[in-house]
């Protein structure tokens, strides 16, 4: 045998090792792309759920905003969001990869996956403001959340340079980073925008505005559950390591258990612990979905470390965190078109705390100084995230309110945003009070829209700085 033939197996081993490493990297990239695509499909769930939850005169506006926020949000996340979130930098924010300059190819799948989380946070804020928010407010809020607020929060918690991460903050899939951020930002926006006309009476009592399409709501809810599984399992980021299969399986199972527990808790509470449930034998579908959504949110922070029984307990308790925030919002007359604030803020913050209580290294299963410190860090970190997110959007809306740009005028809200803003009704029936808007005439700070009712008479809708009026034409 020649010397050269004896040396052939050595480079072959190196080649095989290199090919194996490349295969593992490609598997992880494929995993992120697939999971990110499913998480992005959550936008379809938001579109169906939100459009079904509002009145029929605002459906086109809801669908328009759901589609446009993915475009605007993605641009600003790629321009500056990912750089602030995961670029090399200091403890507060990243300072590299703005506009994806000098961006390495092996980070592109991670960038896409993280964008889908940003899109979820943006969609949460938008959900609370339907039927009365202006387009200017929506666009600026999308830019703020996707380009600044969410990226900075995710840098704190998930970047190796982030100060919360270095303190030991634990949030596997974003109960605090994504959901509490979106919920607190939505709370600030809803507070500054004000309630829909007629949502609360003069005595402060709540007047429920019924959703116009329960089937659309139900379809959105099923998509949410489908996306939530990918949301949590994808947060593992890799699938090629030895323990990844066990972690991903546990995450998937815990997500399902927690959602089922929260849904069951909402059903039983509504049926047996409320006056309407007891007297009318009321099994309320929308209330049940609120419990289900809360379960999807509350499980995120600790889904990789809960034993199955803990996922069940966290789901049940998380629903009562939702109820607490919901009652506070009604008490202070804060209108939320889809109840996303109590779901995301209440469930998100409770999820962060629960991860340090019921997790494998939590106080219950591993009582020690380190577990107590973990609880303290998560409680403090979640509160800081809420305060920062709330404050950033509150400042934005303070500017919008100063220039009277935060919401549509009362007559546009009464007419419906489909016709007032888009001149496109979602549904065309003979019962529509107003068929179409035939022209828009801008006049400096005011504009006039000629509106044709079904009877054929003409009206002019005038938008002015003062209270608008409808005048016979």
């Amino acid at each position: 045998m020649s010397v050269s033939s004896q040396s052939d197996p050595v480079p072959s081993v190196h080649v095989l090792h290199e090919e194996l490493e490349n295969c593992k990297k490609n598997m992880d990239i494929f995993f992120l792309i697939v999971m990110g695509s499913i998480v992005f499909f959550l936008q379809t769930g938001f579109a169906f759920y939100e459009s079904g939850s509002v009145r029929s005169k605002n459906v086109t506006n809801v669908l328009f905003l759901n589609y446009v926020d993915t475009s605007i949000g993605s641009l600003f996340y790629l321009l500056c969001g990912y750089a602030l979130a995961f670029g090399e930098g200091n403890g507060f924010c990243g300072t590299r990869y703005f506009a994806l300059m000098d961006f390495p190819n092996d980070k592109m799948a991670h960038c896409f996956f993280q964008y889908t989380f940003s899109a979820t946070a943006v969609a949460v804020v938008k959900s609370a403001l339907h039927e009365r928010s202006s387009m200017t407010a929506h666009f600026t809020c999308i830019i703020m959340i996707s380009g600044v607020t969410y990226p900075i929060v995710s840098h704190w918690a998930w970047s190796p340079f982030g100060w919360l991460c270095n303190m030991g903050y634990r949030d596997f899939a974003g109960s605090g980073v994504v959901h509490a951020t979106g919920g607190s930002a939505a709370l600030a926006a809803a507070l500054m925008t004000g309630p829909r006309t007629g949502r609360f009476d003069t005595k402060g009592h709540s007047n429920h505005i019924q959703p116009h399409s329960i089937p659309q709501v139900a379809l959105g809810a099923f998509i949410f559950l489908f996306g939530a599984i990918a949301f949590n399992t994808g947060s593992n980021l890799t699938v090629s390591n030895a323990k990844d299969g066990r972690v991903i399986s546990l995450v998937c199972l815990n997500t399902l258990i927690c959602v089922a527990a929260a849904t069951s808790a909402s059903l039983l509470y509504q049926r047996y612990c409320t006056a309407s449930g007891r007297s009318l034998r009321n099994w309320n579908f929308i209330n049940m979905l609120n419990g289900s959504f809360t379960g999807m949110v509350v499980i995120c922070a600790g889904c990789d470390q809960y034993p199955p029984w803990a996922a069940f307990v966290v789901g049940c308790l998380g629903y009562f965190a939702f109820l607490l925030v919901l009652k506070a919002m009604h008490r202070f007359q804060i209108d939320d078109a889809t109840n996303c604030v109590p779901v995301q803020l209440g469930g998100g913050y409770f999820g962060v705390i629960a991860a340090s209580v019921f997790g494998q290294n939590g106080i219950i299963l591993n009582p020690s100084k380190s577990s107590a410190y973990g609880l303290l860090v998560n409680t403090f970190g979640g509160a800081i995230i809420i305060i920062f997110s709330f404050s950033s959007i509150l400042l934005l809306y303070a500017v919008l309110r100063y220039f009277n740009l935060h919401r549509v005028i009362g007559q546009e809200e009464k007419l419906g945003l489909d016709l007032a803003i888009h001149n496109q009704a979602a549904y065309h029936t003979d019962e529509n009070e107003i068929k179409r808007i035939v022209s828009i005439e801008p006049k400096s700070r005011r504009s006039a829209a000629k509106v044709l009712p079904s009877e054929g008479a003409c009206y002019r809708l005038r938008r002015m700085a003062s209270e608008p009026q409808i005048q016979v034409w």
Side-chain angles (χ1 to χ4, degrees), residues 199-352:
R199 180 66 175 86
F200 299 97
D201 60 24
T202 55
K203 296 182 180 179
H205 298 150
S206 174
N207 297 319
H208 182 62
I209 297 177
Q210 292 290 342
H212 91 279
S213 176
I214 294 297
Q216 285 180 224
V217 169
L219 179 57
F222 277 112
I223 295 174
F224 282 154
L225 180 56
F226 174 64
I229 295 173
F231 194 98
N232 292 346
T233 55
S235 296
N236 195 59
L237 301 180
T238 61
V239 73
S240 62
N241 298 321
K243 297 182 179 180
D244 285 344
R246 283 177 288 176
V247 173
I248 291 172
S249 300
L250 179 64
V251 167
C252 185
L253 187 63
N254 280 341
T255 302
L256 186 62
I257 292 173
C258 188
V259 172
T263 303
S264 301
S266 65
L267 277 173
L268 295 175
Y269 178 84
Q270 170 65 25
R271 175 63 181 84
Y272 296 107
C273 300
T274 63
S276 62
R278 293 192 302 270
S279 60
L280 303 177
R281 297 185 180 276
N282 180 13
W283 298 90
N284 191 282
F285 181 61
I286 299 298
N287 287 345
M288 180 194 72
L289 291 184
N290 288 329
S292 178
F293 300 154
T294 304
M296 300 177 199
V297 170
V298 76
I299 190 62
C300 292
C303 55
D304 65 323
Q305 53 178 313
Y306 291 138
W309 67 265
F312 179 85
V313 173
V314 168
C316 293
L317 296 179
Y319 177 69
F320 294 97
F322 158 82
L323 289 177
L324 183 65
V325 178
L326 180 66
K327 291 183 181 299
M329 291 188 66
H330 287 173
R331 170 66 179 82
F332 292 101
Q333 299 186 32
I334 302 173
D335 185 17
D336 179 355
T338 60
N339 284 334
C340 70
V341 173
V343 168
Q344 304 289 333
L345 179 56
Y349 188 52
F350 178 79
V352 170

Side-chain angles (χ1 to χ4, degrees), residues 2 31 39 51 60-61 83 90 113 120 145 165 175 191 292 294 301 309 318 324 334 338 397 402 410 432 470:
S2 64
F31 175 70
V39 174
S51 62
T60 299
N61 179 253
N90 51 48
F113 182 77
T120 302
I145 293 291
C165 179
S175 286
L191 177 65
S292 178
T294 304
W309 67 265
L324 183 65
I334 302 173
T338 60
Y397 269 82
Y402 180 80
N432 285 349
I470 288 185

Side-chain angles (χ1 to χ4, degrees), residues 76 80-81 84 142-153 388 392:
F76 280 87
C80 59
L84 292 174
I142 290 170
I143 294 171
M144 186 70 177
I145 293 291
S146 60
V148 180
T149 303
Y150 170 77
I152 289 178
V153 169
F388 174 77
S392 64

Side-chain angles (χ1 to χ4, degrees), residues 16-65:
L16 288 175
H17 179 73
E18 182 178 354
E19 297 243 342
L20 179 61
E21 290 300 316
N22 289 334
C23 182
K24 291 175 64 176
K25 290 180 181 178
N26 289 336
M27 287 175 60
D28 292 338
I29 290 173
F30 183 72
F31 175 70
L32 286 179
I33 294 297
V34 172
M35 293 298 105
S37 298
I38 298 175
V39 174
F40 184 77
F41 192 61
L42 278 172
Q43 301 303 312
T44 308
F46 280 110
F48 277 108
Y49 183 78
E50 294 169 26
S51 62
S53 297
V54 301
R55 289 165 288 190
S56 59
K57 62 184 179 180
N58 296 305
V59 172
T60 299
N61 179 253
V62 171
L63 296 175
F64 173 85
L65 293 173

Side-chain angles (χ1 to χ4, degrees), residues 102-119:
D102 301 321
F103 193 62
N105 290 339
D106 58 356
K107 290 182 177 291
M108 289 185 176
H110 183 259
C111 178
F112 168 71
F113 182 77
Q114 293 299 332
Y115 156 68
T116 63
F117 277 42
S118 172

